[in-house]
Amino acid sequence: MKLKKEVIKDLAIHKKDVGSTAVQIGILSQKINKLSEHFKKFKKDKHSFRGLTKSVNQRKRLLTYLSRNDPKMYNDILKKLNLRK
């Protein structure tokens, strides 16, 4: 898995970009992947499952926002992160 700084570097729009929509989606995707791996080992961890659900919903809202406001960037993010086929 990529580290947080690598995700920011890959998706940043400009040099000092750490909070754009694309970067936020990338960081959330990394967090979701990490939690998904965690649940393969610990199936009964309900407290972390709530955090996973919140992260998935937040990413979904950000993707919806991006698709409405910048469709080109939306398609680029989907390809870079392999989110939808």
Side-chain angles (χ1 to χ4, degrees):
M1 284 197 307
K2 295 181 180 179
L3 297 173
K4 186 175 180 179
K5 289 183 180 183
E6 290 177 6
V7 171
I8 292 171
K9 187 175 135 185
D10 290 343
L11 299 173
I13 297 170
H14 53 82
K15 187 176 180 182
K16 294 187 178 184
D17 181 18
V18 292
S20 68
T21 308
V23 172
Q24 290 180 44
I25 291 169
I27 292 171
L28 283 170
S29 295
Q30 178 190 11
K31 181 178 179 181
I32 290 167
N33 291 338
K34 182 179 170 188
L35 284 171
S36 297
E37 290 296 319
H38 172 77
F39 287 120
K40 289 179 182 175
K41 190 173 182 183
F42 304 103
K43 291 179 173 64
K44 294 185 179 184
D45 188 357
K46 300 300 180 192
H47 294 291
S48 296
F49 186 75
R50 182 174 186 271
L52 174 67
T53 306
K54 286 177 69 174
S55 297
V56 168
N57 289 332
Q58 178 68 28
R59 183 177 73 179
K60 183 179 176 183
R61 286 194 304 267
L62 287 170
L63 283 168
T64 303
Y65 168 81
L66 196 60
S67 70
R68 279 187 274 120
N69 292 323
D70 193 357
K72 183 181 179 297
M73 178 67 84
Y74 172 75
N75 289 325
D76 291 342
I77 294 295
L78 292 182
K79 287 177 186 172
K80 284 182 182 179
L81 298 175
N82 290 332
L83 292 180
R84 298 189 179 134
K85 307 285 192 261

